[in-house]
Amino acid sequence: MATDFITKPGSPPVVRARVKNHIELKRYRDFLTEIAFVDGLTQIPNRRRYDEFLDTEWRRAIRQESSLSMILMDIDHFKQFNDTYGHLEGDRCLQEVAAALEKTLHRPADLAARYGGEEFACLLPETDMTGAMHLAEKLRTAIEQLKLPHKSSLTAEYVTISVGVSSVMATTEQTSEDLFKLADKALYTAKETGRNKVVSANDCGD
C-alpha cells in the first residue's frame, strides 16, 4: 500500500527528504516490533516472543521430524529474597540471572526467555534429552556461580534455580502444550525434592 508519492518532475531535495522520512519510519516500526518481544526488566525475550518461537519451532520440528526440547527454570525461594533484600534487589537478581542464562546459550537457534515472574524458559530446536540435560546443568551451575547472597534461602546461601527438562520428537498427534506440561511437571519435581537441581521429565513417571 502506497504511503506517499512524488509528482514529476521531481525535486532532488524533496525526493531525498521523503526517502529519509520513510527510512526513519521503517526504523521506528522495526524498533517497536523489537521491543514488543523484549522483557523490559531483563532485556531478554519475553513471554510473547517465547510463545511465537515455540509455535514456529514446533511446526518446523513436525516438518523435519526432529526433536524439540524445553528447559523451565524457577529461582528458588524468590519471595523470601524480595522480603529480605527488597524489590529493587529482586529486580537486580532477575537481571543477573537472565544475563547468565543468555550468556550460557551458545547456539543462535536457542532461545532464553523470561516466562513470567521469577520463571525462565529455554527452547532448544533439534536437541534431544541428553543434550538438553547437559545444557540445563550448565545453566544451573552458571546461576550458582553468580554467588548472589540469599541468606533467607532454605536451600543454599546463594541464589539457586530449580530446573525441569522435557524433550519430544514432535508429531501431529501432540501439541506444544504437551512439551510444556512435561517440563513443568519435571520442574515441580525438582522443587519438591530439594531444589537447586535438574530433573528430566523422563524421571517423573506417569
Side-chain angles (χ1 to χ4, degrees):
M1 179 178 174
T3 57
D4 199 359
F5 67 94
I6 300 173
T7 58
K8 294 182 179 180
S11 167
V14 171
V15 172
R16 285 195 294 270
R18 290 185 175 179
V19 169
K20 181 180 179 181
N21 286 341
H22 283 290
I23 290 174
E24 290 301 318
L25 181 60
K26 174 66 164 58
R27 286 176 177 167
Y28 181 64
R29 286 173 176 166
D30 289 346
F31 170 73
L32 291 179
T33 299
E34 180 179 344
I35 64 174
F37 290 111
V38 174
D39 178 63
L41 176 65
T42 62
Q43 296 302 300
I44 67 171
N46 59 16
R47 173 69 179 276
R48 181 178 176 184
R49 174 58 178 142
Y50 158 89
D51 288 338
E52 180 189 70
F53 188 81
L54 176 57
D55 180 64
T56 298
E57 292 304 323
W58 181 261
R59 287 185 281 110
R60 188 201 310 276
I62 291 175
R63 290 195 307 270
Q64 297 180 349
E65 299 182 344
S66 61
S67 56
L68 179 63
S69 295
M70 178 182 294
I71 300 174
L72 282 183
M73 298 154 283
D74 196 81
I75 298 177
D76 295 324
H77 309 294
F78 189 67
K79 181 183 183 301
Q80 289 87 340
F81 185 96
N82 275 332
D83 291 344
T84 301
Y85 299 101
H87 288 279
L88 287 178
E89 281 301 306
D91 287 349
R92 188 179 72 84
C93 173
L94 290 170
Q95 290 168 340
E96 293 204 34
V97 167
L101 296 178
E102 196 166 53
K103 183 179 179 181
T104 306
L105 293 185
H106 297 301
R107 296 194 317 170
D110 298 337
L111 177 84
R114 185 182 180 192
Y115 189 80
E118 68 271 24
E119 196 167 34
F120 296 85
C122 290
L123 291 169
L124 316 173
E126 299 183 36
T127 303
D128 61 14
M129 181 61 85
T130 300
M133 286 292 288
H134 176 72
L135 178 58
E137 180 58 31
K138 287 181 65 176
L139 294 170
R140 188 201 65 78
T141 301
I143 302 309
E144 195 172 48
Q145 291 179 344
L146 290 174
K147 293 192 178 300
L148 300 175
H150 191 349
K151 64 183 181 182
S152 54
S153 172
L154 302 176
T155 302
E157 59 182 318
Y158 300 112
V159 168
T160 58
I161 59 174
S162 296
V163 188
V165 184
S166 62
S167 182
V168 300
M169 291 290 293
T171 70
T172 55
E173 297 177 357
Q174 300 170 297
T175 69
S176 59
E177 183 66 17
D178 295 322
L179 181 68
F180 173 83
K181 288 178 179 178
L182 288 169
D184 191 49
K185 184 176 181 179
L187 173 59
Y188 177 82
T189 301
K191 291 192 288 187
E192 288 295 300
T193 57
R195 301 179 187 259
N196 189 27
K197 63 169 62 176
V198 177
V199 173
S200 161
N202 295 346
D203 296 328
C204 294
D206 296 329

